[in-house]
Amino acid sequence: METVVSGIRPTGNLHLGNYFGAVKSFITMQEQYKCFYFIADWHSLTTHPHPANLRQNVRTILAEYLACGVDPDKATIYVQSDIREIPELYLYLNMNAYIGELERVTSFKEKVRQNPNNVNAGLLTYPTLMAADIIIHHADKVPVGKDQEQNMEMARHFARRFNQIYEVEYFKEPASFSLSDKAVKVPGLDGTGKMGKSTGNAIYLIDDESTIKKKVMRAVTDQGPTTPNQVKPEPIENIFTLMQIVSDPSTYEYFNDKYNACEIRYGDMKKQLAADINAFCAPIRERIEYYSHNEALLSQVAEKGATAARESAARTLQDVRQIIGFRRN
Ligand code: AMP
């Protein structure tokens, strides 16, 4: 069975964009592959989080993934910082990573632009840590978006370079992949762009019914179409896209027909959309409540994942140490 590795950044609550753009594919993949899903808490240190926030964010993300259906009996779910072999491999990979190539990475240059006062070495070596995360389990496939393609290219480079330097065929080159040809893009409700944490237009899985309703009712609309079958402007298209994602196809058809006949009442459509989003979120919300108040269960899941991930990582490091020339242990 092929191995899949994917990291999850602990950066707050999951929203509908995260669910339909990423979490849903994790749930599908765990049925077909040997999956390692980890919470990338070491990666998040580049922005120096407060210890209490870091701990809370890791717990939150774990509870939310479990609530969505990521299953510890099917996938290995673990916290990155529980696996000490990862920084050891990171160290070895850093010895063969060159400053020039790291400085050329687009996401690094972007971070430097955004945060010129915090250009730390962790930021520069983000691609080597990511490569260590992936190749430590000999991943065949890594589900990533376009923005991570360059980091994946680096991971392949580092795997290849290790093999060349030590004249072995040890690490395989991980492939980037996506479950569908067309990436799902969940739009925001503020007229343009996609749903995101930083843009403040997100509906979170944890949002209660009245919060969802408030957010949906505020969605940007217009005066309505004036000619039949008119092309939808972006804000309207976005509401329809959301409806397509969360509602029954017949509901979408109903409002689409109304739009095409110039009889659409956006208020009715929004009420329906809010109800459908709530129907989708309610069971997940209940499970988030359950998991986030069950500290013992969360620890148990993290421990189970850590044991399996450590086993896999330790096997790799034992080989790597031997290949590099350290004494066998
Ligand atoms: P982020 O919270 O931005 O780090 O995103 C975590 C994951 O969710 C990534 O795989 C993103 O590609 C995905 N994601 C975030 N926002 C959206 C969105 N609006 N539509 C689709 N996927 C998204």
Side-chain angles (χ1 to χ4, degrees):
M1 194 190 280
E2 286 189 309
T3 298
V4 164
V5 176
S6 192
I8 300 151
R9 286 184 300 164
T11 53
N13 296 99
L14 292 176
H15 52 72
L16 288 175
N18 296 135
Y19 183 87
F20 290 101
V23 185
K24 203 173 162 202
S25 59
F26 285 1
I27 299 163
T28 313
M29 284 184 298
Q30 69 189 3
E31 305 293 338
Q32 302 162 14
Y33 300 98
K34 182 174 164 57
C35 292
F36 289 91
Y37 298 142
F38 67 94
I39 300 175
D41 54 350
W42 269 321
H43 282 284
S44 68
L45 292 188
T46 54
T47 55
H48 308 149
H50 188 277
N53 293 342
L54 182 63
R55 199 170 306 122
Q56 185 53 38
N57 284 345
V58 169
R59 283 184 64 238
T60 300
I61 210 81
L62 185 56
E64 295 199 348
Y65 272 84
L66 295 176
C68 289
V70 178
D71 185 346
D73 290 329
K74 294 178 179 161
T76 299
I77 307 164
Y78 63 98
V79 180
Q80 186 188 30
S81 62
D82 280 340
I83 317 299
R84 309 286 165 94
E85 285 82 359
I86 296 170
E88 187 177 344
L89 183 57
Y90 168 58
L91 181 146
Y92 300 146
L93 296 181
N94 271 334
M95 297 299 170
N96 302 328
Y98 299 100
I99 295 286
E101 63 185 344
L102 293 169
E103 280 175 342
R104 278 195 297 275
V105 173
T106 315
S107 51
F108 173 70
K109 289 197 275 195
E110 241 165 61
K111 295 261 165 62
V112 171
R113 245 196 320 273
Q114 288 164 358
N115 252 318
N117 299 323
N118 182 25
V119 185
N120 58 64
L123 218 49
L124 182 68
T125 56
Y126 189 100
T128 49
L129 183 53
M130 179 166 155
D133 290 325
I134 296 167
I135 67 176
I136 204 157
H137 301 304
H138 304 284
D140 296 285
K141 292 177 167 172
V142 181
V144 287
K146 258 206 160 60
D147 56 332
Q148 289 295 320
E149 198 34 63
Q150 201 180 12
N151 283 334
M152 282 304 299
E153 198 50 55
M154 299 288 281
R156 287 189 281 271
H157 265 308
F158 295 139
R160 201 156 52 225
R161 195 174 290 158
F162 181 93
N163 292 347
Q164 279 162 355
I165 289 175
Y166 295 105
E167 298 179 343
V168 287
E169 269 309 314
Y170 185 67
F171 284 120
K172 52 177 128 181
E173 292 181 33
S176 320
F177 95 119
S178 147
L179 275 184
S180 63
D181 301 339
K182 220 168 84 206
V184 182
K185 186 186 122 186
V186 180
L189 291 168
D190 46 359
T192 55
K194 66 174 197 169
M195 185 178 285
K197 254 173 278 234
S198 49
T199 36
N201 63 1
I203 296 179
Y204 293 94
L205 299 178
I206 194 81
D207 282 346
D208 62 22
E209 189 171 4
S210 72
T211 308
I212 294 172
K213 194 161 180 197
K214 246 184 262 155
K215 288 182 179 178
V216 174
M217 297 314 281
R218 272 205 309 259
V220 175
T221 50
D222 57 15
Q223 303 296 317
T226 47
T227 48
N229 303 315
Q230 199 176 308
V231 174
K232 299 182 185 89
E234 194 182 353
I236 306 304
E237 185 65 48
N238 286 353
I239 302 174
F240 273 94
T241 302
L242 262 175
M243 188 167 252
Q244 206 162 24
I245 293 170
V246 297
S247 304
D248 196 77
S250 61
T251 308
Y252 174 86
E253 285 308 320
Y254 173 82
F255 286 102
N256 199 38
D257 290 347
K258 289 274 180 208
Y259 182 89
N260 285 332
C262 303
E263 290 167 0
I264 186 99
R265 289 157 61 120
Y266 291 129
D268 292 349
M269 182 178 178
K270 287 178 177 178
K271 264 189 213 135
Q272 181 67 46
L273 179 61
D276 291 346
I277 291 176
N278 185 55
F280 170 79
C281 290
I284 298 181
R285 192 163 64 221
E286 272 171 37
R287 289 194 296 268
I288 295 175
E289 275 294 300
Y290 167 74
Y291 284 113
S292 52
H293 290 101
N294 200 331
E295 191 76 44
L297 184 56
L298 289 183
S299 302
Q300 212 180 325
V301 168
E303 203 37 62
K304 178 183 159 131
T307 304
R310 255 183 231 130
E311 221 175 85
S312 158
R315 268 198 306 275
T316 304
L317 263 294
Q318 201 170 27
D319 294 339
V320 167
R321 284 188 204 121
Q322 203 194 356
I323 291 169
I324 294 179
F326 294 122
R327 79 184 158 82
R328 265 205 99 152
N329 49 5

